[in-house]
Amino acid sequence: MTVATEWVEDHFVAGDVVLDFANTVYRRWPRMGSDLFTNAESLSSWLERAGLLPHSNGVLPPAGEETLEEARALRATLWLVFDAQRERRSIPPDAFSALLDVARRLGEHVTVDADGDMTARDPQSAIGALALGAISLVLDPPQQGVRACDACGWFFVDSSRGRRRRWCSMKTCGNQAKVDRYRAARA
Ligand SMILES: [Zn+2]
């Protein structure tokens, strides 16, 4: 049996929920790391933690295996889309069209409040809401652009003042880089 990932603050450092969703693998490079969506339960709990599903007090609407596969496919699409965006390339048409397909399945199962925040009734609709969020991020990119961590490839929006953020998080990759530099200097 697989153990569901325990989500912590450090999994939500991208500055945008869509990019946090794209960052649900341990690392994207230099080698692909393990999938943090270890099972359907970890997907539901991620969606709840991200605020896309209402708080359930431990009784989550189950995400089926099919929804888990959809989530993984959407995540792969997001990598194509946001790698293109951050490299200043056109968004691959197939990938953009895949986002539209997923977003179309939203139906009436999503509530959008006046601030534009979306809450879904079930995991599948929440996936649709993420696709819609991705479309909005593609069409109206943040001024500072989407970037990726030098060390692990996680995406983030750089809202630091000097716009020199290189790491997904100072606590993890940034700190590791500091340690590596220190070791290199003493070698
Ligand atoms: Zn990183």
Side-chain angles (χ1 to χ4, degrees), residues 149 151-154 167-169 172-173:
C149 175
C152 74
W154 273 21
W167 319 110
C168 56
S169 156
T172 53
C173 289

Side-chain angles (χ1 to χ4, degrees), residues 87-156:
E87 290 165 3
R88 314 297 302 155
R89 289 183 283 115
S90 300
I91 309 303
D94 290 3
F96 190 67
S97 146
L99 290 183
L100 291 168
D101 281 343
V102 180
R104 197 173 294 143
R105 276 177 246 147
L106 274 177
E108 295 162 10
H109 298 291
V110 170
T111 313
V112 185
D113 71 16
D115 295 325
D117 290 327
M118 294 183 273
T119 319
R121 215 182 299 165
D122 53 70
Q124 204 181 10
S125 308
I127 304 289
L130 282 164
L132 190 57
I135 291 166
S136 133
L137 199 56
V138 167
L139 298 181
D140 189 14
Q143 213 183 357
Q144 56 273 46
V146 167
R147 308 249 308 273
C149 175
D150 282 359
C152 74
W154 273 21
F155 293 105
F156 60 85

